[in-house]
PDB file of all heavy atoms in Angstrom:
ATOM      1  N   GLY A  44      59.906  72.706  51.312  1.00 91.00           N
ATOM      2  CA  GLY A  44      60.483  72.794  52.857  1.00 91.00           C
ATOM      3  C   GLY A  44      61.930  72.831  52.719  1.00 91.00           C
ATOM      4  O   GLY A  44      62.582  72.849  53.750  1.00 91.00           O
ATOM      5  N   TYR A  62      69.414  72.628  52.663  1.00 95.00           N
ATOM      6  CA  TYR A  62      69.165  71.296  53.247  1.00 95.00           C
ATOM      7  C   TYR A  62      67.656  71.133  53.448  1.00 95.00           C
ATOM      8  O   TYR A  62      66.834  72.061  53.409  1.00 95.00           O
ATOM      9  CB  TYR A  62      69.826  71.246  54.624  1.00 95.00           C
ATOM     10  CG  TYR A  62      69.275  72.132  55.698  1.00 95.00           C
ATOM     11  CD1 TYR A  62      68.455  71.773  56.660  1.00 95.00           C
ATOM     12  CD2 TYR A  62      69.812  73.502  55.754  1.00 95.00           C
ATOM     13  CE1 TYR A  62      67.921  72.618  57.692  1.00 95.00           C
ATOM     14  CE2 TYR A  62      69.228  74.362  56.690  1.00 95.00           C
ATOM     15  CZ  TYR A  62      68.382  73.822  57.637  1.00 95.00           C
ATOM     16  OH  TYR A  62      67.932  74.712  58.620  1.00 95.00           O
ATOM     17  N   THR A  63      67.276  69.864  53.600  1.00 93.00           N
ATOM     18  CA  THR A  63      65.898  69.422  53.803  1.00 93.00           C
ATOM     19  C   THR A  63      65.826  68.477  55.043  1.00 93.00           C
ATOM     20  O   THR A  63      66.587  67.573  55.018  1.00 93.00           O
ATOM     21  CB  THR A  63      65.267  68.828  52.533  1.00 93.00           C
ATOM     22  OG1 THR A  63      65.431  69.694  51.486  1.00 93.00           O
ATOM     23  CG2 THR A  63      63.859  68.425  52.787  1.00 93.00           C
ATOM     24  N   ASN A  64      64.970  68.721  55.925  1.00 89.00           N
ATOM     25  CA  ASN A  64      64.619  67.784  57.039  1.00 89.00           C
ATOM     26  C   ASN A  64      63.575  66.906  56.708  1.00 89.00           C
ATOM     27  O   ASN A  64      62.463  67.386  56.511  1.00 89.00           O
ATOM     28  CB  ASN A  64      64.449  68.714  58.305  1.00 89.00           C
ATOM     29  CG  ASN A  64      64.226  67.757  59.589  1.00 89.00           C
ATOM     30  OD1 ASN A  64      64.679  66.663  59.567  1.00 89.00           O
ATOM     31  ND2 ASN A  64      63.653  68.314  60.506  1.00 89.00           N
ATOM     32  N   THR A  65      63.798  65.632  56.562  1.00 83.00           N
ATOM     33  CA  THR A  65      62.859  64.629  56.192  1.00 83.00           C
ATOM     34  C   THR A  65      62.074  64.183  57.430  1.00 83.00           C
ATOM     35  O   THR A  65      62.454  64.501  58.582  1.00 83.00           O
ATOM     36  CB  THR A  65      63.385  63.524  55.395  1.00 83.00           C
ATOM     37  OG1 THR A  65      64.159  62.762  56.277  1.00 83.00           O
ATOM     38  CG2 THR A  65      64.187  63.956  54.199  1.00 83.00           C
ATOM     39  N   VAL A  66      61.057  63.444  57.203  1.00 77.00           N
ATOM     40  CA  VAL A  66      60.187  62.948  58.286  1.00 77.00           C
ATOM     41  C   VAL A  66      60.919  61.940  59.265  1.00 77.00           C
ATOM     42  O   VAL A  66      60.466  61.751  60.443  1.00 77.00           O
ATOM     43  CB  VAL A  66      58.898  62.312  57.758  1.00 77.00           C
ATOM     44  CG1 VAL A  66      58.061  63.319  57.191  1.00 77.00           C
ATOM     45  CG2 VAL A  66      59.231  61.113  56.929  1.00 77.00           C
ATOM     46  N   ASP A  67      61.911  61.425  58.890  1.00 84.00           N
ATOM     47  CA  ASP A  67      62.676  60.218  59.734  1.00 84.00           C
ATOM     48  C   ASP A  67      63.906  60.743  60.386  1.00 84.00           C
ATOM     49  O   ASP A  67      64.849  60.111  60.626  1.00 84.00           O
ATOM     50  CB  ASP A  67      62.912  59.009  58.899  1.00 84.00           C
ATOM     51  CG  ASP A  67      63.853  59.322  57.758  1.00 84.00           C
ATOM     52  OD1 ASP A  67      63.989  60.491  57.348  1.00 84.00           O
ATOM     53  OD2 ASP A  67      64.200  58.354  57.095  1.00 84.00           O
ATOM     54  N   ASN A  68      63.927  62.090  60.774  1.00 86.00           N
ATOM     55  CA  ASN A  68      65.095  62.711  61.307  1.00 86.00           C
ATOM     56  C   ASN A  68      66.393  62.588  60.470  1.00 86.00           C
ATOM     57  O   ASN A  68      67.463  62.344  61.026  1.00 86.00           O
ATOM     58  CB  ASN A  68      65.346  62.135  62.803  1.00 86.00           C
ATOM     59  CG  ASN A  68      64.239  62.496  63.751  1.00 86.00           C
ATOM     60  OD1 ASN A  68      63.579  63.523  63.607  1.00 86.00           O
ATOM     61  ND2 ASN A  68      63.888  61.617  64.633  1.00 86.00           N
ATOM     62  N   HIS A  69      66.074  62.707  59.317  1.00 92.00           N
ATOM     63  CA  HIS A  69      67.188  62.567  58.273  1.00 92.00           C
ATOM     64  C   HIS A  69      67.373  63.872  57.620  1.00 92.00           C
ATOM     65  O   HIS A  69      66.265  64.610  57.172  1.00 92.00           O
ATOM     66  CB  HIS A  69      66.921  61.490  57.320  1.00 92.00           C
ATOM     67  CG  HIS A  69      67.614  61.550  56.066  1.00 92.00           C
ATOM     68  ND1 HIS A  69      67.054  61.369  54.804  1.00 92.00           N
ATOM     69  CD2 HIS A  69      68.949  61.744  55.636  1.00 92.00           C
ATOM     70  CE1 HIS A  69      67.975  61.454  53.835  1.00 92.00           C
ATOM     71  NE2 HIS A  69      69.063  61.697  54.445  1.00 92.00           N
ATOM     72  N   ILE A  70      68.579  64.496  57.529  1.00 93.00           N
ATOM     73  CA  ILE A  70      68.775  65.748  56.905  1.00 93.00           C
ATOM     74  C   ILE A  70      69.504  65.436  55.528  1.00 93.00           C
ATOM     75  O   ILE A  70      70.485  64.734  55.510  1.00 93.00           O
ATOM     76  CB  ILE A  70      69.631  66.768  57.667  1.00 93.00           C
ATOM     77  CG1 ILE A  70      68.946  67.023  58.927  1.00 93.00           C
ATOM     78  CG2 ILE A  70      70.098  67.889  56.787  1.00 93.00           C
ATOM     79  CD1 ILE A  70      68.601  68.446  59.131  1.00 93.00           C
ATOM     80  N   TYR A  71      68.964  65.975  54.469  1.00 94.00           N
ATOM     81  CA  TYR A  71      69.600  65.709  53.156  1.00 94.00           C
ATOM     82  C   TYR A  71      70.057  67.065  52.686  1.00 94.00           C
ATOM     83  O   TYR A  71      69.352  68.130  52.722  1.00 94.00           O
ATOM     84  CB  TYR A  71      68.517  65.196  52.098  1.00 94.00           C
ATOM     85  CG  TYR A  71      69.008  65.242  50.743  1.00 94.00           C
ATOM     86  CD1 TYR A  71      70.165  64.455  50.371  1.00 94.00           C
ATOM     87  CD2 TYR A  71      68.270  65.893  49.700  1.00 94.00           C
ATOM     88  CE1 TYR A  71      70.641  64.394  49.078  1.00 94.00           C
ATOM     89  CE2 TYR A  71      68.845  65.909  48.390  1.00 94.00           C
ATOM     90  CZ  TYR A  71      69.973  65.187  48.099  1.00 94.00           C
ATOM     91  OH  TYR A  71      70.403  65.097  46.789  1.00 94.00           O
ATOM     92  N   VAL A  72      71.357  67.149  52.234  1.00 95.00           N
ATOM     93  CA  VAL A  72      72.035  68.374  51.816  1.00 95.00           C
ATOM     94  C   VAL A  72      72.184  68.160  50.316  1.00 95.00           C
ATOM     95  O   VAL A  72      73.088  67.583  49.878  1.00 95.00           O
ATOM     96  CB  VAL A  72      73.288  68.584  52.489  1.00 95.00           C
ATOM     97  CG1 VAL A  72      74.046  69.905  51.969  1.00 95.00           C
ATOM     98  CG2 VAL A  72      73.120  68.747  53.992  1.00 95.00           C
ATOM     99  N   PRO A  73      71.260  68.766  49.485  1.00 93.00           N
ATOM    100  CA  PRO A  73      71.459  68.608  48.078  1.00 93.00           C
ATOM    101  C   PRO A  73      72.547  69.538  47.404  1.00 93.00           C
ATOM    102  O   PRO A  73      72.995  69.319  46.353  1.00 93.00           O
ATOM    103  CB  PRO A  73      69.998  68.924  47.453  1.00 93.00           C
ATOM    104  CG  PRO A  73      69.501  69.671  48.455  1.00 93.00           C
ATOM    105  CD  PRO A  73      69.954  69.308  49.927  1.00 93.00           C
ATOM    106  N   PHE A  94      74.768  76.267  59.977  1.00 88.00           N
ATOM    107  CA  PHE A  94      74.104  74.992  59.841  1.00 88.00           C
ATOM    108  C   PHE A  94      74.169  74.165  61.026  1.00 88.00           C
ATOM    109  O   PHE A  94      73.071  73.601  61.362  1.00 88.00           O
ATOM    110  CB  PHE A  94      74.910  74.118  58.600  1.00 88.00           C
ATOM    111  CG  PHE A  94      74.253  72.878  58.344  1.00 88.00           C
ATOM    112  CD1 PHE A  94      73.083  72.768  57.663  1.00 88.00           C
ATOM    113  CD2 PHE A  94      74.977  71.691  58.593  1.00 88.00           C
ATOM    114  CE1 PHE A  94      72.521  71.540  57.341  1.00 88.00           C
ATOM    115  CE2 PHE A  94      74.446  70.551  58.219  1.00 88.00           C
ATOM    116  CZ  PHE A  94      73.295  70.372  57.619  1.00 88.00           C
ATOM    117  N   VAL A  98      70.887  72.710  62.858  1.00 82.00           N
ATOM    118  CA  VAL A  98      70.709  71.331  62.929  1.00 82.00           C
ATOM    119  C   VAL A  98      70.622  70.767  64.464  1.00 82.00           C
ATOM    120  O   VAL A  98      69.942  69.848  64.759  1.00 82.00           O
ATOM    121  CB  VAL A  98      71.882  70.464  62.146  1.00 82.00           C
ATOM    122  CG1 VAL A  98      71.840  69.054  62.532  1.00 82.00           C
ATOM    123  CG2 VAL A  98      71.610  70.808  60.740  1.00 82.00           C
ATOM    124  N   LEU A 101      67.421  69.913  65.973  1.00 82.00           N
ATOM    125  CA  LEU A 101      66.691  68.677  65.593  1.00 82.00           C
ATOM    126  C   LEU A 101      67.375  67.441  66.127  1.00 82.00           C
ATOM    127  O   LEU A 101      68.507  67.372  66.428  1.00 82.00           O
ATOM    128  CB  LEU A 101      66.769  68.640  63.960  1.00 82.00           C
ATOM    129  CG  LEU A 101      66.284  69.872  63.300  1.00 82.00           C
ATOM    130  CD1 LEU A 101      66.669  69.873  61.802  1.00 82.00           C
ATOM    131  CD2 LEU A 101      64.873  70.111  63.501  1.00 82.00           C
ATOM    132  N   ASN A 102      66.727  66.352  66.201  1.00 81.00           N
ATOM    133  CA  ASN A 102      67.228  65.137  66.559  1.00 81.00           C
ATOM    134  C   ASN A 102      67.623  64.219  65.372  1.00 81.00           C
ATOM    135  O   ASN A 102      67.051  63.369  65.038  1.00 81.00           O
ATOM    136  CB  ASN A 102      66.138  64.354  67.502  1.00 81.00           C
ATOM    137  CG  ASN A 102      66.778  63.025  67.980  1.00 81.00           C
ATOM    138  OD1 ASN A 102      67.930  62.868  68.126  1.00 81.00           O
ATOM    139  ND2 ASN A 102      65.886  62.039  68.154  1.00 81.00           N
ATOM    140  N   VAL A 103      68.655  64.681  64.694  1.00 85.00           N
ATOM    141  CA  VAL A 103      69.101  64.156  63.509  1.00 85.00           C
ATOM    142  C   VAL A 103      69.823  62.804  63.657  1.00 85.00           C
ATOM    143  O   VAL A 103      70.646  62.535  64.514  1.00 85.00           O
ATOM    144  CB  VAL A 103      70.222  65.082  62.743  1.00 85.00           C
ATOM    145  CG1 VAL A 103      70.754  64.380  61.407  1.00 85.00           C
ATOM    146  CG2 VAL A 103      69.645  66.365  62.530  1.00 85.00           C
ATOM    147  N   GLN A 104      69.252  61.844  62.966  1.00 87.00           N
ATOM    148  CA  GLN A 104      69.845  60.509  63.042  1.00 87.00           C
ATOM    149  C   GLN A 104      70.847  60.209  61.904  1.00 87.00           C
ATOM    150  O   GLN A 104      71.663  59.275  62.031  1.00 87.00           O
ATOM    151  CB  GLN A 104      68.648  59.449  62.944  1.00 87.00           C
ATOM    152  CG  GLN A 104      67.693  59.668  64.114  1.00 87.00           C
ATOM    153  CD  GLN A 104      68.361  59.402  65.439  1.00 87.00           C
ATOM    154  OE1 GLN A 104      69.047  58.486  65.697  1.00 87.00           O
ATOM    155  NE2 GLN A 104      68.119  60.276  66.330  1.00 87.00           N
ATOM    156  N   ARG A 105      70.719  61.004  60.870  1.00 90.00           N
ATOM    157  CA  ARG A 105      71.452  60.689  59.534  1.00 90.00           C
ATOM    158  C   ARG A 105      71.491  62.012  58.773  1.00 90.00           C
ATOM    159  O   ARG A 105      70.533  62.650  58.630  1.00 90.00           O
ATOM    160  CB  ARG A 105      70.775  59.552  58.892  1.00 90.00           C
ATOM    161  CG  ARG A 105      71.493  59.081  57.757  1.00 90.00           C
ATOM    162  CD  ARG A 105      70.841  57.777  57.203  1.00 90.00           C
ATOM    163  NE  ARG A 105      69.412  57.885  56.988  1.00 90.00           N
ATOM    164  CZ  ARG A 105      68.897  57.839  55.758  1.00 90.00           C
ATOM    165  NH1 ARG A 105      69.699  57.601  54.651  1.00 90.00           N
ATOM    166  NH2 ARG A 105      67.598  57.901  55.542  1.00 90.00           N
ATOM    167  N   LEU A 106      72.596  62.312  58.139  1.00 92.00           N
ATOM    168  CA  LEU A 106      72.818  63.315  57.176  1.00 92.00           C
ATOM    169  C   LEU A 106      73.432  62.748  55.935  1.00 92.00           C
ATOM    170  O   LEU A 106      74.297  61.934  55.959  1.00 92.00           O
ATOM    171  CB  LEU A 106      73.886  64.236  57.848  1.00 92.00           C
ATOM    172  CG  LEU A 106      74.229  65.522  57.063  1.00 92.00           C
ATOM    173  CD1 LEU A 106      73.115  66.534  56.829  1.00 92.00           C
ATOM    174  CD2 LEU A 106      75.382  66.274  57.761  1.00 92.00           C
ATOM    175  N   THR A 107      72.794  63.092  54.767  1.00 94.00           N
ATOM    176  CA  THR A 107      73.241  62.528  53.534  1.00 94.00           C
ATOM    177  C   THR A 107      73.431  63.674  52.576  1.00 94.00           C
ATOM    178  O   THR A 107      72.881  64.755  52.685  1.00 94.00           O
ATOM    179  CB  THR A 107      72.296  61.539  52.965  1.00 94.00           C
ATOM    180  OG1 THR A 107      70.927  62.058  52.768  1.00 94.00           O
ATOM    181  CG2 THR A 107      72.202  60.280  53.800  1.00 94.00           C
ATOM    182  N   SER A 108      74.153  63.379  51.528  1.00 96.00           N
ATOM    183  CA  SER A 108      74.511  64.467  50.491  1.00 96.00           C
ATOM    184  C   SER A 108      74.820  63.601  49.182  1.00 96.00           C
ATOM    185  O   SER A 108      75.441  62.480  49.336  1.00 96.00           O
ATOM    186  CB  SER A 108      75.607  65.282  50.861  1.00 96.00           C
ATOM    187  OG  SER A 108      76.006  66.265  49.986  1.00 96.00           O
ATOM    188  N   LYS A 109      74.605  64.115  48.024  1.00 95.00           N
ATOM    189  CA  LYS A 109      74.984  63.548  46.717  1.00 95.00           C
ATOM    190  C   LYS A 109      76.048  64.428  46.145  1.00 95.00           C
ATOM    191  O   LYS A 109      75.884  65.756  46.250  1.00 95.00           O
ATOM    192  CB  LYS A 109      73.858  63.389  45.775  1.00 95.00           C
ATOM    193  CG  LYS A 109      72.893  62.260  46.054  1.00 95.00           C
ATOM    194  CD  LYS A 109      71.819  62.248  44.986  1.00 95.00           C
ATOM    195  CE  LYS A 109      70.724  61.358  45.331  1.00 95.00           C
ATOM    196  NZ  LYS A 109      69.693  61.475  44.321  1.00 95.00           N
ATOM    197  N   PHE A 126      82.152  62.504  56.346  1.00 93.00           N
ATOM    198  CA  PHE A 126      81.256  61.655  55.657  1.00 93.00           C
ATOM    199  C   PHE A 126      81.913  60.412  55.003  1.00 93.00           C
ATOM    200  O   PHE A 126      83.084  60.488  54.895  1.00 93.00           O
ATOM    201  CB  PHE A 126      80.680  62.507  54.389  1.00 93.00           C
ATOM    202  CG  PHE A 126      79.685  63.467  54.766  1.00 93.00           C
ATOM    203  CD1 PHE A 126      79.995  64.848  55.123  1.00 93.00           C
ATOM    204  CD2 PHE A 126      78.452  63.330  54.679  1.00 93.00           C
ATOM    205  CE1 PHE A 126      79.102  65.785  55.309  1.00 93.00           C
ATOM    206  CE2 PHE A 126      77.390  64.237  55.027  1.00 93.00           C
ATOM    207  CZ  PHE A 126      77.792  65.473  55.264  1.00 93.00           C
ATOM    208  N   THR A 129      78.460  55.775  50.711  1.00 96.00           N
ATOM    209  CA  THR A 129      77.739  54.576  51.004  1.00 96.00           C
ATOM    210  C   THR A 129      77.333  53.900  49.647  1.00 96.00           C
ATOM    211  O   THR A 129      76.995  52.703  49.655  1.00 96.00           O
ATOM    212  CB  THR A 129      76.398  54.895  51.776  1.00 96.00           C
ATOM    213  OG1 THR A 129      75.680  56.023  51.024  1.00 96.00           O
ATOM    214  CG2 THR A 129      76.819  55.395  53.297  1.00 96.00           C
ATOM    215  N   GLU A 130      77.258  54.695  48.610  1.00 96.00           N
ATOM    216  CA  GLU A 130      76.947  54.094  47.341  1.00 96.00           C
ATOM    217  C   GLU A 130      77.302  55.013  46.138  1.00 96.00           C
ATOM    218  O   GLU A 130      77.577  56.178  46.514  1.00 96.00           O
ATOM    219  CB  GLU A 130      75.460  53.602  47.249  1.00 96.00           C
ATOM    220  CG  GLU A 130      74.516  54.543  47.370  1.00 96.00           C
ATOM    221  CD  GLU A 130      72.962  53.957  47.342  1.00 96.00           C
ATOM    222  OE1 GLU A 130      72.645  53.395  46.360  1.00 96.00           O
ATOM    223  OE2 GLU A 130      72.357  54.266  48.351  1.00 96.00           O
ATOM    224  N   ILE A 137      76.894  58.920  46.982  1.00 96.00           N
ATOM    225  CA  ILE A 137      75.955  59.282  48.065  1.00 96.00           C
ATOM    226  C   ILE A 137      76.889  59.157  49.399  1.00 96.00           C
ATOM    227  O   ILE A 137      77.432  58.177  49.675  1.00 96.00           O
ATOM    228  CB  ILE A 137      74.858  58.209  48.225  1.00 96.00           C
ATOM    229  CG1 ILE A 137      74.160  57.865  46.928  1.00 96.00           C
ATOM    230  CG2 ILE A 137      73.900  58.585  49.340  1.00 96.00           C
ATOM    231  CD1 ILE A 137      73.402  59.133  46.368  1.00 96.00           C
ATOM    232  N   PHE A 138      76.927  60.284  49.996  1.00 96.00           N
ATOM    233  CA  PHE A 138      77.718  60.431  51.290  1.00 96.00           C
ATOM    234  C   PHE A 138      76.781  60.338  52.490  1.00 96.00           C
ATOM    235  O   PHE A 138      75.563  60.822  52.312  1.00 96.00           O
ATOM    236  CB  PHE A 138      78.472  61.684  51.319  1.00 96.00           C
ATOM    237  CG  PHE A 138      79.772  61.737  50.513  1.00 96.00           C
ATOM    238  CD1 PHE A 138      79.769  62.196  49.256  1.00 96.00           C
ATOM    239  CD2 PHE A 138      80.912  61.274  51.073  1.00 96.00           C
ATOM    240  CE1 PHE A 138      80.845  62.201  48.516  1.00 96.00           C
ATOM    241  CE2 PHE A 138      82.132  61.297  50.402  1.00 96.00           C
ATOM    242  CZ  PHE A 138      82.103  61.805  49.135  1.00 96.00           C
ATOM    243  N   GLU A 139      77.149  59.851  53.504  1.00 95.00           N
ATOM    244  CA  GLU A 139      76.358  59.772  54.768  1.00 95.00           C
ATOM    245  C   GLU A 139      77.265  59.942  56.014  1.00 95.00           C
ATOM    246  O   GLU A 139      78.351  59.591  55.904  1.00 95.00           O
ATOM    247  CB  GLU A 139      75.720  58.427  54.826  1.00 95.00           C
ATOM    248  CG  GLU A 139      74.698  58.292  55.963  1.00 95.00           C
ATOM    249  CD  GLU A 139      73.899  57.137  55.852  1.00 95.00           C
ATOM    250  OE1 GLU A 139      73.231  56.722  54.758  1.00 95.00           O
ATOM    251  OE2 GLU A 139      73.788  56.337  56.919  1.00 95.00           O
ATOM    252  N   MET A 140      76.587  60.609  56.903  1.00 92.00           N
ATOM    253  CA  MET A 140      77.100  60.793  58.287  1.00 92.00           C
ATOM    254  C   MET A 140      76.061  60.405  59.307  1.00 92.00           C
ATOM    255  O   MET A 140      74.964  60.878  59.241  1.00 92.00           O
ATOM    256  CB  MET A 140      77.657  62.228  58.398  1.00 92.00           C
ATOM    257  CG  MET A 140      78.290  62.491  59.835  1.00 92.00           C
ATOM    258  SD  MET A 140      78.656  64.237  59.997  1.00 92.00           S
ATOM    259  CE  MET A 140      79.826  64.534  58.745  1.00 92.00           C
ATOM    260  N   SER A 141      76.416  59.673  60.207  1.00 88.00           N
ATOM    261  CA  SER A 141      75.484  59.339  61.403  1.00 88.00           C
ATOM    262  C   SER A 141      75.210  60.487  62.175  1.00 88.00           C
ATOM    263  O   SER A 141      75.952  61.481  62.330  1.00 88.00           O
ATOM    264  CB  SER A 141      76.051  58.161  62.213  1.00 88.00           C
ATOM    265  OG  SER A 141      77.086  58.694  63.004  1.00 88.00           O
ATOM    266  N   GLY A 142      73.993  60.446  62.824  1.00 82.00           N
ATOM    267  CA  GLY A 142      73.699  61.468  63.846  1.00 82.00           C
ATOM    268  C   GLY A 142      74.688  61.719  64.790  1.00 82.00           C
ATOM    269  O   GLY A 142      74.957  62.823  65.274  1.00 82.00           O
ATOM    270  N   LEU A 145      77.645  63.465  63.519  1.00 81.00           N
ATOM    271  CA  LEU A 145      77.265  64.910  63.242  1.00 81.00           C
ATOM    272  C   LEU A 145      77.263  65.708  64.554  1.00 81.00           C
ATOM    273  O   LEU A 145      77.896  66.813  64.584  1.00 81.00           O
ATOM    274  CB  LEU A 145      75.948  64.977  62.638  1.00 81.00           C
ATOM    275  CG  LEU A 145      75.394  66.398  62.445  1.00 81.00           C
ATOM    276  CD1 LEU A 145      76.305  67.193  61.403  1.00 81.00           C
ATOM    277  CD2 LEU A 145      73.942  66.274  61.855  1.00 81.00           C
TER     278      LEU A 145
END
Side-chain angles (χ1 to χ4, degrees):
Y62 71 98
T63 303
N64 184 17
T65 66
V66 294
D67 60 351
N68 295 329
H69 165 221
I70 298 245
Y71 172 59
V72 178
F94 181 67
V98 170
L101 310 169
N102 183 25
V103 178
Q104 300 301 312
R105 184 168 58 108
L106 179 66
T107 60
S108 181
K109 285 184 191 174
F126 283 87
T129 57
E130 61 183 302
I137 308 297
F138 281 94
E139 186 170 311
M140 181 186 293
S141 70
L145 177 61

